[in-house]
């Protein structure tokens, strides 16, 4: 599904005054577009792979990051819990994990359409403040909190087997992780720092959620037109389209293709093209639009063709 229903209009009044030619009805929809990153993930299977290098803290952070990243994409694209596969891989000294060949081989191992690889995370120096008394402590052992902060940098590589350009998309970023540790307030800075390092791994989840936000779909309000005539079948198809039942509308428009009126046939063919576009079948949408143009080219055809071709890239 490439759209969200955002408005249901009462449009029966527009049926009352129509000419013998076709009338145009506008439908407002919210269309899914690729994410800010430019990567299109809708309808594709996804895997996330993170590298291990023997550093327990870094590995736990990367694992948590991969979990948060996968969870966010599962929710964004409605694919369900566990639908984004998570894998770990031992990093090899001198390995080039950003190369197309490396990522292609990893992708083939996962069996997914798109693979994300989280390279080894690099951390800076940790600083710890506190301890600060907690307002409502649950026990004496957690009456104080030390707040730590540590900068980190990461690299993320993405390879999409369905992208004919076979381009590796590389993303880099820096942020600050802020683990918190609780105590009775008697820990010195060395102990507090040690506890903060142990608590750092769980902070990867928030980092993963933040990184995944760049791969969420962008939704844009758009207006599309379908054509109709003053007869019951055309009205019935229009009601289906207005309810975003494009398959149902298309089934009705197909029954209207046997008309001897070239304009009516062209309008039905155009509407079927719109339905195919809404259902995500862009090649078939072009075929029906070509047929409509051949039968009797409509003034709105070129604008629809431009939209379809932009999706086929």
């Amino acid at each position: 599904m490439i759209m969200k229903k955002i408005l249901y209009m009462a449009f029966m009044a527009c049926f009352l005054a129509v000419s013998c030619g076709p009338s145009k009805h506008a439908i407002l929809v919210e269309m899914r577009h690729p994410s800010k990153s430019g990567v299109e993930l809708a309808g594709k299977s996804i895997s996330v792979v993170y590298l291990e290098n023997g550093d327990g803290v870094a590995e736990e952070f990367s694992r948590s990051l991969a979990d948060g990243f996968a969870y966010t994409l599962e929710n964004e694209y409605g694919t369900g819990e566990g639908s984004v596969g998570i894998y770990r891989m031992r990093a090899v000294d001198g390995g080039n994990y950003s190369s197309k060949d490396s990522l292609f081989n990893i992708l083939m191992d996962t069996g997914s359409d798109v693979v994300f690889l989280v390279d080894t995370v690099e951390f800076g120096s940790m600083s710890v403040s506190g301890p600060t008394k907690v307002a409502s402590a649950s026990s004496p052992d957690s009456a104080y909190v030390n707040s730590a902060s540590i900068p980190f940098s990461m690299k993320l590589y993405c390879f999409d087997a369905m992208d004919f350009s076979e381009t590796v998309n590389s993303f880099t970023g820096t942020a600050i992780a802020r683990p918190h540790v609780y105590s009775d307030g008697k820990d010195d800075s060395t102990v507090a720092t040690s506890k903060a390092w142990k608590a750092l791994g769980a902070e990867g989840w928030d980092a993963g959620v933040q990184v995944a936000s760049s791969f969420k779909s962008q939704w844009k309000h758009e207006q599309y037109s379908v054509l109709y005539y003053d007869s019951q079948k055309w009205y019935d198809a229009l009601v289906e389209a207005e309810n975003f039942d494009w398959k149902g509308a298309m089934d009705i428009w197909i029954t209207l293709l046997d008309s001897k009126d070239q304009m009516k046939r062209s309008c039905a063919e155009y509407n079927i093209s719109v339905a195919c576009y809404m259902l995500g079948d862009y090649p078939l949408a072009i075929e029906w639009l070509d047929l409509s143009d051949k039968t009797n080219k409509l003034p709105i055809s070129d604008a629809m063709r431009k939209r379809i071709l932009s999706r086929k890239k």
Side-chain angles (χ1 to χ4, degrees), residues 19-310:
S19 65
C20 59
S23 295
K24 184 168 64 174
H25 177 70
I27 299 177
L28 186 64
V29 296
E30 196 176 7
M31 300 294 292
R32 186 195 294 272
H33 288 265
S35 62
K36 294 178 181 179
S37 68
V39 177
E40 175 60 84
L41 297 177
K44 299 175 182 178
S45 58
I46 305 168
S47 293
V48 181
V49 179
Y50 65 94
L51 296 181
E52 295 183 329
N53 64 353
D55 182 331
V57 171
E59 289 177 0
E60 176 62 19
F61 187 90
S62 294
R63 184 200 62 75
S64 184
L65 188 154
D67 284 344
F69 185 87
Y71 174 84
T72 303
L73 294 185
E74 288 168 352
N75 279 281
E76 170 64 18
Y77 293 99
T79 53
E81 184 178 356
S83 59
V84 175
I86 302 175
Y87 303 86
R88 60 183 182 179
M89 186 171 71
R90 177 64 62 180
V92 177
D93 290 341
N96 182 8
Y97 298 102
S98 65
S99 72
K100 183 181 74 174
D101 289 343
S102 294
L103 288 169
F104 178 78
N105 290 332
I106 295 171
L107 181 141
M108 293 300 291
D109 288 339
T110 65
S112 60
D113 298 323
V114 182
V115 64
F116 288 94
L117 187 141
V118 181
D119 206 339
T120 305
V121 178
E122 297 183 0
F123 295 100
S125 299
M126 178 179 288
S127 61
V128 181
S129 64
T132 302
K133 189 172 179 59
V134 176
S136 300
S138 58
S139 70
D141 289 340
S142 60
Y144 292 83
V145 61
N146 292 87
S147 299
S149 65
I150 180 170
F152 68 91
S153 61
M154 62 166 294
K155 296 179 182 178
L156 180 72
Y157 312 120
C158 174
F159 186 76
D160 182 353
M162 300 177 72
D163 181 357
F164 296 125
S165 69
E166 297 186 346
T167 301
V168 174
N169 292 288
S170 298
F171 307 92
T172 60
T174 58
I176 297 177
R178 302 182 186 279
H180 300 286
V181 292
Y182 294 85
S183 69
D184 59 5
K186 298 178 182 179
D187 291 345
D188 59 25
S189 60
T190 300
V191 173
T193 300
S194 177
K195 288 183 176 180
W197 274 108
K198 291 179 181 179
L200 179 60
E203 298 301 307
W205 175 277
D206 290 337
V209 171
Q210 184 62 37
V211 172
S213 66
S214 297
F215 297 93
K216 289 183 176 181
S217 297
Q218 298 185 89
W219 293 91
K220 299 179 182 180
H221 293 183
E222 296 177 359
Q223 183 173 288
Y224 291 82
S225 296
V226 292
L227 304 170
Y228 68 96
Y229 281 82
D230 185 15
S231 73
Q232 190 59 49
K233 276 194 173 183
W234 288 94
Y235 295 159
D236 290 344
L238 196 57
V239 170
E240 298 298 324
E242 184 64 32
N243 282 303
F244 297 136
D245 182 1
W246 293 105
K247 178 62 169 60
M250 185 165 57
D251 289 343
I252 298 173
W253 286 321
I254 287 174
T255 68
L256 299 170
L257 294 173
D258 59 359
S259 174
K260 295 180 180 180
D261 186 320
Q262 286 190 327
M263 179 62 77
K264 288 184 177 180
R265 289 205 312 275
S266 180
C267 289
E269 290 159 353
Y270 172 85
N271 288 348
I272 294 171
S273 174
V274 174
C276 291
Y277 174 84
M278 294 297 180
L279 293 170
D281 193 337
Y282 308 125
L284 193 56
I286 283 291
E287 289 184 24
W288 279 104
L289 192 60
D290 287 342
L291 190 56
S292 174
D293 286 353
K294 184 178 180 180
T295 302
N296 192 326
K297 186 169 182 178
L298 303 168
I300 58 177
S301 172
D302 288 342
M304 190 63 213
R305 183 177 298 277
K306 184 177 180 180
R307 278 175 157 169
I308 298 170
L309 292 176
S310 71

